[in-house]
PDB file of all heavy atoms in Angstrom:
ATOM      1  N   GLY A   1     111.118 -85.517 -40.287  1.00  0.00           N
ATOM      2  CA  GLY A   1     111.881 -84.269 -40.397  1.00  0.00           C
ATOM      3  C   GLY A   1     111.192 -83.079 -39.757  1.00  0.00           C
ATOM      4  O   GLY A   1     111.416 -81.940 -40.165  1.00  0.00           O
ATOM      5  N   LEU A   2     110.354 -83.342 -38.764  1.00  0.00           N
ATOM      6  CA  LEU A   2     109.626 -82.269 -38.087  1.00  0.00           C
ATOM      7  C   LEU A   2     110.354 -81.851 -36.816  1.00  0.00           C
ATOM      8  O   LEU A   2     110.882 -82.692 -36.097  1.00  0.00           O
ATOM      9  CB  LEU A   2     108.221 -82.738 -37.697  1.00  0.00           C
ATOM     10  CG  LEU A   2     107.256 -83.104 -38.804  1.00  0.00           C
ATOM     11  CD1 LEU A   2     106.006 -83.765 -38.228  1.00  0.00           C
ATOM     12  CD2 LEU A   2     106.877 -81.869 -39.596  1.00  0.00           C
ATOM     13  N   SER A   3     110.346 -80.558 -36.537  1.00  0.00           N
ATOM     14  CA  SER A   3     110.847 -80.084 -35.249  1.00  0.00           C
ATOM     15  C   SER A   3     109.743 -80.282 -34.219  1.00  0.00           C
ATOM     16  O   SER A   3     108.588 -80.530 -34.569  1.00  0.00           O
ATOM     17  CB  SER A   3     111.229 -78.602 -35.340  1.00  0.00           C
ATOM     18  OG  SER A   3     110.055 -77.806 -35.473  1.00  0.00           O
ATOM     19  N   GLN A   4     110.071 -80.133 -32.962  1.00  0.00           N
ATOM     20  CA  GLN A   4     109.055 -80.232 -31.920  1.00  0.00           C
ATOM     21  C   GLN A   4     108.017 -79.133 -32.085  1.00  0.00           C
ATOM     22  O   GLN A   4     106.823 -79.360 -31.893  1.00  0.00           O
ATOM     23  CB  GLN A   4     109.706 -80.176 -30.537  1.00  0.00           C
ATOM     24  CG  GLN A   4     110.507 -81.417 -30.215  1.00  0.00           C
ATOM     25  CD  GLN A   4     111.195 -81.348 -28.869  1.00  0.00           C
ATOM     26  OE1 GLN A   4     111.571 -80.281 -28.390  1.00  0.00           O
ATOM     27  NE2 GLN A   4     111.375 -82.508 -28.244  1.00  0.00           N
ATOM     28  N   THR A   5     108.466 -77.945 -32.472  1.00  0.00           N
ATOM     29  CA  THR A   5     107.547 -76.819 -32.693  1.00  0.00           C
ATOM     30  C   THR A   5     106.608 -77.124 -33.848  1.00  0.00           C
ATOM     31  O   THR A   5     105.394 -76.876 -33.759  1.00  0.00           O
ATOM     32  CB  THR A   5     108.334 -75.521 -32.952  1.00  0.00           C
ATOM     33  OG1 THR A   5     109.193 -75.286 -31.835  1.00  0.00           O
ATOM     34  CG2 THR A   5     107.413 -74.342 -33.160  1.00  0.00           C
ATOM     35  N   ASP A   6     107.149 -77.670 -34.941  1.00  0.00           N
ATOM     36  CA  ASP A   6     106.316 -78.036 -36.103  1.00  0.00           C
ATOM     37  C   ASP A   6     105.235 -79.036 -35.710  1.00  0.00           C
ATOM     38  O   ASP A   6     104.074 -78.902 -36.098  1.00  0.00           O
ATOM     39  CB  ASP A   6     107.164 -78.669 -37.220  1.00  0.00           C
ATOM     40  CG  ASP A   6     108.156 -77.706 -37.854  1.00  0.00           C
ATOM     41  OD1 ASP A   6     107.946 -76.481 -37.754  1.00  0.00           O
ATOM     42  OD2 ASP A   6     109.147 -78.196 -38.446  1.00  0.00           O
ATOM     43  N   LEU A   7     105.627 -80.043 -34.920  1.00  0.00           N
ATOM     44  CA  LEU A   7     104.666 -81.055 -34.502  1.00  0.00           C
ATOM     45  C   LEU A   7     103.578 -80.436 -33.631  1.00  0.00           C
ATOM     46  O   LEU A   7     102.393 -80.697 -33.832  1.00  0.00           O
ATOM     47  CB  LEU A   7     105.356 -82.196 -33.742  1.00  0.00           C
ATOM     48  CG  LEU A   7     104.419 -83.296 -33.224  1.00  0.00           C
ATOM     49  CD1 LEU A   7     103.708 -83.997 -34.374  1.00  0.00           C
ATOM     50  CD2 LEU A   7     105.188 -84.301 -32.391  1.00  0.00           C
ATOM     51  N   GLY A   8     103.977 -79.593 -32.688  1.00  0.00           N
ATOM     52  CA  GLY A   8     103.006 -78.944 -31.815  1.00  0.00           C
ATOM     53  C   GLY A   8     101.999 -78.110 -32.582  1.00  0.00           C
ATOM     54  O   GLY A   8     100.791 -78.128 -32.290  1.00  0.00           O
ATOM     55  N   THR A   9     102.467 -77.397 -33.581  1.00  0.00           N
ATOM     56  CA  THR A   9     101.586 -76.573 -34.419  1.00  0.00           C
ATOM     57  C   THR A   9     100.637 -77.452 -35.230  1.00  0.00           C
ATOM     58  O   THR A   9      99.436 -77.184 -35.312  1.00  0.00           O
ATOM     59  CB  THR A   9     102.423 -75.685 -35.364  1.00  0.00           C
ATOM     60  OG1 THR A   9     103.272 -74.859 -34.572  1.00  0.00           O
ATOM     61  CG2 THR A   9     101.554 -74.828 -36.251  1.00  0.00           C
ATOM     62  N   ALA A  10     101.179 -78.523 -35.815  1.00  0.00           N
ATOM     63  CA  ALA A  10     100.359 -79.415 -36.639  1.00  0.00           C
ATOM     64  C   ALA A  10      99.299 -80.134 -35.802  1.00  0.00           C
ATOM     65  O   ALA A  10      98.157 -80.293 -36.252  1.00  0.00           O
ATOM     66  CB  ALA A  10     101.256 -80.429 -37.357  1.00  0.00           C
ATOM     67  N   VAL A  11      99.632 -80.556 -34.602  1.00  0.00           N
ATOM     68  CA  VAL A  11      98.654 -81.192 -33.716  1.00  0.00           C
ATOM     69  C   VAL A  11      97.529 -80.209 -33.433  1.00  0.00           C
ATOM     70  O   VAL A  11      96.349 -80.572 -33.422  1.00  0.00           O
ATOM     71  CB  VAL A  11      99.325 -81.684 -32.406  1.00  0.00           C
ATOM     72  CG1 VAL A  11      98.288 -81.994 -31.337  1.00  0.00           C
ATOM     73  CG2 VAL A  11     100.180 -82.907 -32.674  1.00  0.00           C
ATOM     74  N   GLY A  12      97.882 -78.945 -33.237  1.00  0.00           N
ATOM     75  CA  GLY A  12      96.886 -77.905 -32.955  1.00  0.00           C
ATOM     76  C   GLY A  12      95.855 -77.749 -34.051  1.00  0.00           C
ATOM     77  O   GLY A  12      94.704 -77.365 -33.784  1.00  0.00           O
ATOM     78  N   GLN A  13      96.219 -78.056 -35.276  1.00  0.00           N
ATOM     79  CA  GLN A  13      95.270 -77.957 -36.386  1.00  0.00           C
ATOM     80  C   GLN A  13      94.157 -78.994 -36.254  1.00  0.00           C
ATOM     81  O   GLN A  13      93.080 -78.825 -36.810  1.00  0.00           O
ATOM     82  CB  GLN A  13      96.000 -78.127 -37.719  1.00  0.00           C
ATOM     83  CG  GLN A  13      96.947 -76.988 -38.013  1.00  0.00           C
ATOM     84  CD  GLN A  13      97.793 -77.246 -39.256  1.00  0.00           C
ATOM     85  OE1 GLN A  13      97.716 -78.293 -39.889  1.00  0.00           O
ATOM     86  NE2 GLN A  13      98.612 -76.270 -39.611  1.00  0.00           N
ATOM     87  N   HIS A  14      94.420 -80.065 -35.518  1.00  0.00           N
ATOM     88  CA  HIS A  14      93.426 -81.124 -35.355  1.00  0.00           C
ATOM     89  C   HIS A  14      92.621 -80.997 -34.065  1.00  0.00           C
ATOM     90  O   HIS A  14      91.489 -81.473 -34.009  1.00  0.00           O
ATOM     91  CB  HIS A  14      94.097 -82.503 -35.402  1.00  0.00           C
ATOM     92  CG  HIS A  14      94.746 -82.795 -36.711  1.00  0.00           C
ATOM     93  ND1 HIS A  14      94.042 -83.035 -37.864  1.00  0.00           N
ATOM     94  CD2 HIS A  14      96.061 -82.870 -37.058  1.00  0.00           C
ATOM     95  CE1 HIS A  14      94.880 -83.255 -38.855  1.00  0.00           C
ATOM     96  NE2 HIS A  14      96.111 -83.151 -38.390  1.00  0.00           N
ATOM     97  N   ILE A  15      93.203 -80.387 -33.030  1.00  0.00           N
ATOM     98  CA  ILE A  15      92.491 -80.331 -31.742  1.00  0.00           C
ATOM     99  C   ILE A  15      92.152 -78.901 -31.308  1.00  0.00           C
ATOM    100  O   ILE A  15      91.601 -78.704 -30.234  1.00  0.00           O
ATOM    101  CB  ILE A  15      93.269 -81.056 -30.619  1.00  0.00           C
ATOM    102  CG1 ILE A  15      94.660 -80.447 -30.418  1.00  0.00           C
ATOM    103  CG2 ILE A  15      93.345 -82.541 -30.871  1.00  0.00           C
ATOM    104  CD1 ILE A  15      95.427 -81.032 -29.242  1.00  0.00           C
ATOM    105  N   GLY A  16      92.503 -77.933 -32.152  1.00  0.00           N
ATOM    106  CA  GLY A  16      92.096 -76.556 -31.873  1.00  0.00           C
ATOM    107  C   GLY A  16      93.031 -75.769 -30.973  1.00  0.00           C
ATOM    108  O   GLY A  16      92.803 -74.590 -30.738  1.00  0.00           O
ATOM    109  N   ARG A  17      94.073 -76.393 -30.470  1.00  0.00           N
ATOM    110  CA  ARG A  17      95.061 -75.671 -29.681  1.00  0.00           C
ATOM    111  C   ARG A  17      96.421 -76.321 -29.913  1.00  0.00           C
ATOM    112  O   ARG A  17      96.562 -77.546 -29.831  1.00  0.00           O
ATOM    113  CB  ARG A  17      94.712 -75.663 -28.197  1.00  0.00           C
ATOM    114  CG  ARG A  17      94.724 -77.023 -27.558  1.00  0.00           C
ATOM    115  CD  ARG A  17      94.155 -77.028 -26.137  1.00  0.00           C
ATOM    116  NE  ARG A  17      94.123 -78.261 -25.419  1.00  0.00           N
ATOM    117  CZ  ARG A  17      93.939 -79.491 -25.851  1.00  0.00           C
ATOM    118  NH1 ARG A  17      93.787 -79.726 -27.116  1.00  0.00           N
ATOM    119  NH2 ARG A  17      93.899 -80.522 -25.056  1.00  0.00           N
ATOM    120  N   SER A  18      97.404 -75.487 -30.212  1.00  0.00           N
ATOM    121  CA  SER A  18      98.747 -76.005 -30.476  1.00  0.00           C
ATOM    122  C   SER A  18      99.423 -76.437 -29.182  1.00  0.00           C
ATOM    123  O   SER A  18      99.121 -75.923 -28.108  1.00  0.00           O
ATOM    124  CB  SER A  18      99.602 -74.930 -31.142  1.00  0.00           C
ATOM    125  OG  SER A  18      99.104 -74.641 -32.414  1.00  0.00           O
ATOM    126  N   TRP A  19     100.344 -77.366 -29.320  1.00  0.00           N
ATOM    127  CA  TRP A  19     101.197 -77.746 -28.199  1.00  0.00           C
ATOM    128  C   TRP A  19     102.468 -76.922 -28.313  1.00  0.00           C
ATOM    129  O   TRP A  19     103.014 -76.742 -29.410  1.00  0.00           O
ATOM    130  CB  TRP A  19     101.585 -79.209 -28.282  1.00  0.00           C
ATOM    131  CG  TRP A  19     100.499 -80.198 -27.988  1.00  0.00           C
ATOM    132  CD1 TRP A  19      99.197 -79.947 -27.672  1.00  0.00           C
ATOM    133  CD2 TRP A  19     100.642 -81.614 -27.984  1.00  0.00           C
ATOM    134  NE1 TRP A  19      98.521 -81.109 -27.479  1.00  0.00           N
ATOM    135  CE2 TRP A  19      99.386 -82.166 -27.654  1.00  0.00           C
ATOM    136  CE3 TRP A  19     101.693 -82.472 -28.228  1.00  0.00           C
ATOM    137  CZ2 TRP A  19      99.164 -83.528 -27.580  1.00  0.00           C
ATOM    138  CZ3 TRP A  19     101.484 -83.826 -28.140  1.00  0.00           C
ATOM    139  CH2 TRP A  19     100.232 -84.358 -27.813  1.00  0.00           C
ATOM    140  N   SER A  20     102.967 -76.432 -27.205  1.00  0.00           N
ATOM    141  CA  SER A  20     104.250 -75.721 -27.208  1.00  0.00           C
ATOM    142  C   SER A  20     105.375 -76.729 -27.443  1.00  0.00           C
ATOM    143  O   SER A  20     105.172 -77.945 -27.312  1.00  0.00           O
ATOM    144  CB  SER A  20     104.467 -75.011 -25.865  1.00  0.00           C
ATOM    145  OG  SER A  20     104.630 -75.973 -24.839  1.00  0.00           O
ATOM    146  N   ARG A  21     106.542 -76.223 -27.776  1.00  0.00           N
ATOM    147  CA  ARG A  21     107.709 -77.087 -27.941  1.00  0.00           C
ATOM    148  C   ARG A  21     107.961 -77.846 -26.635  1.00  0.00           C
ATOM    149  O   ARG A  21     108.291 -79.036 -26.629  1.00  0.00           O
ATOM    150  CB  ARG A  21     108.946 -76.269 -28.325  1.00  0.00           C
ATOM    151  CG  ARG A  21     110.158 -77.138 -28.664  1.00  0.00           C
ATOM    152  CD  ARG A  21     111.462 -76.367 -28.652  1.00  0.00           C
ATOM    153  NE  ARG A  21     111.764 -75.735 -27.383  1.00  0.00           N
ATOM    154  CZ  ARG A  21     112.173 -76.388 -26.278  1.00  0.00           C
ATOM    155  NH1 ARG A  21     112.316 -77.691 -26.288  1.00  0.00           N
ATOM    156  NH2 ARG A  21     112.445 -75.729 -25.168  1.00  0.00           N
ATOM    157  N   GLN A  22     107.771 -77.163 -25.501  1.00  0.00           N
ATOM    158  CA  GLN A  22     107.987 -77.789 -24.197  1.00  0.00           C
ATOM    159  C   GLN A  22     106.968 -78.915 -23.952  1.00  0.00           C
ATOM    160  O   GLN A  22     107.309 -79.946 -23.368  1.00  0.00           O
ATOM    161  CB  GLN A  22     107.883 -76.744 -23.069  1.00  0.00           C
ATOM    162  CG  GLN A  22     108.994 -75.721 -23.082  1.00  0.00           C
ATOM    163  CD  GLN A  22     108.751 -74.557 -24.047  1.00  0.00           C
ATOM    164  OE1 GLN A  22     107.771 -74.517 -24.789  1.00  0.00           O
ATOM    165  NE2 GLN A  22     109.671 -73.602 -24.052  1.00  0.00           N
ATOM    166  N   ALA A  23     105.731 -78.715 -24.395  1.00  0.00           N
ATOM    167  CA  ALA A  23     104.699 -79.751 -24.235  1.00  0.00           C
ATOM    168  C   ALA A  23     105.047 -80.977 -25.075  1.00  0.00           C
ATOM    169  O   ALA A  23     104.879 -82.118 -24.627  1.00  0.00           O
ATOM    170  CB  ALA A  23     103.330 -79.207 -24.622  1.00  0.00           C
ATOM    171  N   VAL A  24     105.546 -80.748 -26.286  1.00  0.00           N
ATOM    172  CA  VAL A  24     105.959 -81.866 -27.147  1.00  0.00           C
ATOM    173  C   VAL A  24     107.139 -82.592 -26.504  1.00  0.00           C
ATOM    174  O   VAL A  24     107.169 -83.822 -26.431  1.00  0.00           O
ATOM    175  CB  VAL A  24     106.315 -81.384 -28.574  1.00  0.00           C
ATOM    176  CG1 VAL A  24     106.911 -82.515 -29.398  1.00  0.00           C
ATOM    177  CG2 VAL A  24     105.081 -80.816 -29.269  1.00  0.00           C
ATOM    178  N   SER A  25     108.110 -81.842 -25.993  1.00  0.00           N
ATOM    179  CA  SER A  25     109.270 -82.435 -25.334  1.00  0.00           C
ATOM    180  C   SER A  25     108.838 -83.281 -24.144  1.00  0.00           C
ATOM    181  O   SER A  25     109.303 -84.417 -23.968  1.00  0.00           O
ATOM    182  CB  SER A  25     110.246 -81.346 -24.887  1.00  0.00           C
ATOM    183  OG  SER A  25     111.327 -81.903 -24.178  1.00  0.00           O
ATOM    184  N   ALA A  26     107.944 -82.747 -23.319  1.00  0.00           N
ATOM    185  CA  ALA A  26     107.450 -83.490 -22.152  1.00  0.00           C
ATOM    186  C   ALA A  26     106.743 -84.771 -22.592  1.00  0.00           C
ATOM    187  O   ALA A  26     106.932 -85.837 -21.991  1.00  0.00           O
ATOM    188  CB  ALA A  26     106.512 -82.616 -21.326  1.00  0.00           C
ATOM    189  N   ALA A  27     105.947 -84.688 -23.653  1.00  0.00           N
ATOM    190  CA  ALA A  27     105.232 -85.871 -24.163  1.00  0.00           C
ATOM    191  C   ALA A  27     106.232 -86.914 -24.657  1.00  0.00           C
ATOM    192  O   ALA A  27     106.086 -88.107 -24.368  1.00  0.00           O
ATOM    193  CB  ALA A  27     104.275 -85.471 -25.278  1.00  0.00           C
ATOM    194  N   GLU A  28     107.259 -86.485 -25.379  1.00  0.00           N
ATOM    195  CA  GLU A  28     108.255 -87.417 -25.910  1.00  0.00           C
ATOM    196  C   GLU A  28     109.061 -88.088 -24.803  1.00  0.00           C
ATOM    197  O   GLU A  28     109.569 -89.191 -24.985  1.00  0.00           O
ATOM    198  CB  GLU A  28     109.195 -86.694 -26.878  1.00  0.00           C
ATOM    199  CG  GLU A  28     108.527 -86.323 -28.178  1.00  0.00           C
ATOM    200  CD  GLU A  28     109.428 -85.628 -29.169  1.00  0.00           C
ATOM    201  OE1 GLU A  28     110.544 -85.182 -28.798  1.00  0.00           O
ATOM    202  OE2 GLU A  28     109.014 -85.508 -30.338  1.00  0.00           O
ATOM    203  N   GLN A  29     109.169 -87.442 -23.679  1.00  0.00           N
ATOM    204  CA  GLN A  29     109.903 -88.012 -22.541  1.00  0.00           C
ATOM    205  C   GLN A  29     109.002 -88.828 -21.625  1.00  0.00           C
ATOM    206  O   GLN A  29     109.452 -89.355 -20.610  1.00  0.00           O
ATOM    207  CB  GLN A  29     110.580 -86.898 -21.752  1.00  0.00           C
ATOM    208  CG  GLN A  29     111.677 -86.215 -22.530  1.00  0.00           C
ATOM    209  CD  GLN A  29     112.232 -85.007 -21.808  1.00  0.00           C
ATOM    210  OE1 GLN A  29     112.272 -84.964 -20.585  1.00  0.00           O
ATOM    211  NE2 GLN A  29     112.662 -84.018 -22.562  1.00  0.00           N
ATOM    212  N   GLY A  30     107.721 -88.931 -21.966  1.00  0.00           N
ATOM    213  CA  GLY A  30     106.793 -89.722 -21.177  1.00  0.00           C
ATOM    214  C   GLY A  30     106.318 -89.034 -19.921  1.00  0.00           C
ATOM    215  O   GLY A  30     105.849 -89.672 -18.988  1.00  0.00           O
ATOM    216  N   ARG A  31     106.414 -87.710 -19.902  1.00  0.00           N
ATOM    217  CA  ARG A  31     105.993 -86.953 -18.720  1.00  0.00           C
ATOM    218  C   ARG A  31     104.637 -86.292 -18.931  1.00  0.00           C
ATOM    219  O   ARG A  31     104.321 -85.310 -18.288  1.00  0.00           O
ATOM    220  CB  ARG A  31     107.033 -85.877 -18.382  1.00  0.00           C
ATOM    221  CG  ARG A  31     108.392 -86.442 -17.985  1.00  0.00           C
ATOM    222  CD  ARG A  31     109.358 -85.354 -17.680  1.00  0.00           C
ATOM    223  NE  ARG A  31     109.377 -84.471 -18.848  1.00  0.00           N
ATOM    224  CZ  ARG A  31     109.842 -83.237 -18.845  1.00  0.00           C
ATOM    225  NH1 ARG A  31     110.300 -82.710 -17.775  1.00  0.00           N
ATOM    226  NH2 ARG A  31     109.820 -82.513 -19.945  1.00  0.00           N
ATOM    227  N   ARG A  32     103.835 -86.826 -19.842  1.00  0.00           N
ATOM    228  CA  ARG A  32     102.532 -86.230 -20.155  1.00  0.00           C
ATOM    229  C   ARG A  32     101.558 -87.349 -20.474  1.00  0.00           C
ATOM    230  O   ARG A  32     101.904 -88.300 -21.168  1.00  0.00           O
ATOM    231  CB  ARG A  32     102.701 -85.317 -21.369  1.00  0.00           C
ATOM    232  CG  ARG A  32     101.464 -84.624 -21.831  1.00  0.00           C
ATOM    233  CD  ARG A  32     101.766 -83.850 -23.128  1.00  0.00           C
ATOM    234  NE  ARG A  32     100.758 -82.870 -23.427  1.00  0.00           N
ATOM    235  CZ  ARG A  32      99.569 -83.133 -23.929  1.00  0.00           C
ATOM    236  NH1 ARG A  32      99.210 -84.370 -24.185  1.00  0.00           N
ATOM    237  NH2 ARG A  32      98.719 -82.157 -24.186  1.00  0.00           N
ATOM    238  N   SER A  33     100.360 -87.236 -19.966  1.00  0.00           N
ATOM    239  CA  SER A  33      99.307 -88.192 -20.320  1.00  0.00           C
ATOM    240  C   SER A  33      98.672 -87.764 -21.636  1.00  0.00           C
ATOM    241  O   SER A  33      98.742 -86.595 -22.019  1.00  0.00           O
ATOM    242  CB  SER A  33      98.242 -88.227 -19.224  1.00  0.00           C
ATOM    243  OG  SER A  33      98.783 -88.742 -18.040  1.00  0.00           O
ATOM    244  N   PHE A  34      98.047 -88.697 -22.315  1.00  0.00           N
ATOM    245  CA  PHE A  34      97.443 -88.424 -23.608  1.00  0.00           C
ATOM    246  C   PHE A  34      95.941 -88.669 -23.548  1.00  0.00           C
ATOM    247  O   PHE A  34      95.509 -89.705 -23.039  1.00  0.00           O
ATOM    248  CB  PHE A  34      98.057 -89.320 -24.689  1.00  0.00           C
ATOM    249  CG  PHE A  34      99.529 -89.110 -24.878  1.00  0.00           C
ATOM    250  CD1 PHE A  34     100.447 -89.866 -24.166  1.00  0.00           C
ATOM    251  CD2 PHE A  34      99.997 -88.151 -25.757  1.00  0.00           C
ATOM    252  CE1 PHE A  34     101.813 -89.677 -24.335  1.00  0.00           C
ATOM    253  CE2 PHE A  34     101.356 -87.951 -25.935  1.00  0.00           C
ATOM    254  CZ  PHE A  34     102.270 -88.712 -25.216  1.00  0.00           C
ATOM    255  N   THR A  35      95.175 -87.753 -24.101  1.00  0.00           N
ATOM    256  CA  THR A  35      93.741 -87.963 -24.241  1.00  0.00           C
ATOM    257  C   THR A  35      93.494 -88.706 -25.549  1.00  0.00           C
ATOM    258  O   THR A  35      94.386 -88.802 -26.399  1.00  0.00           O
ATOM    259  CB  THR A  35      92.976 -86.626 -24.269  1.00  0.00           C
ATOM    260  OG1 THR A  35      93.355 -85.916 -25.464  1.00  0.00           O
ATOM    261  CG2 THR A  35      93.274 -85.778 -23.033  1.00  0.00           C
ATOM    262  N   ALA A  36      92.295 -89.202 -25.723  1.00  0.00           N
ATOM    263  CA  ALA A  36      91.936 -89.849 -26.995  1.00  0.00           C
ATOM    264  C   ALA A  36      92.098 -88.866 -28.144  1.00  0.00           C
ATOM    265  O   ALA A  36      92.580 -89.227 -29.227  1.00  0.00           O
ATOM    266  CB  ALA A  36      90.504 -90.370 -26.922  1.00  0.00           C
ATOM    267  N   SER A  37      91.730 -87.591 -27.911  1.00  0.00           N
ATOM    268  CA  SER A  37      91.886 -86.556 -28.949  1.00  0.00           C
ATOM    269  C   SER A  37      93.356 -86.364 -29.295  1.00  0.00           C
ATOM    270  O   SER A  37      93.713 -86.213 -30.468  1.00  0.00           O
ATOM    271  CB  SER A  37      91.301 -85.226 -28.469  1.00  0.00           C
ATOM    272  OG  SER A  37      89.923 -85.339 -28.265  1.00  0.00           O
TER     273      SER A  37
END
């Protein structure tokens, strides 16, 4: 039940920088590489 914005903010709590809604959207569409972090 998370929005893309909610997910981006929550990820930021673990890696020190939030993901924008657009970054989450790009990741969900497979247009973004992922680091181990």
Side-chain angles (χ1 to χ4, degrees):
L2 296 170
S3 70
Q4 290 178 330
T5 302
D6 294 338
L7 178 62
T9 301
V11 165
Q13 293 173 358
H14 297 290
I15 59 175
R17 64 189 181 326
S18 294
W19 288 1
S20 67
R21 186 197 59 74
Q22 293 83 356
V24 173
S25 176
E28 289 181 347
Q29 293 173 32
R31 296 180 306 162
R32 180 185 196 283
S33 294
F34 299 91
T35 66
S37 296

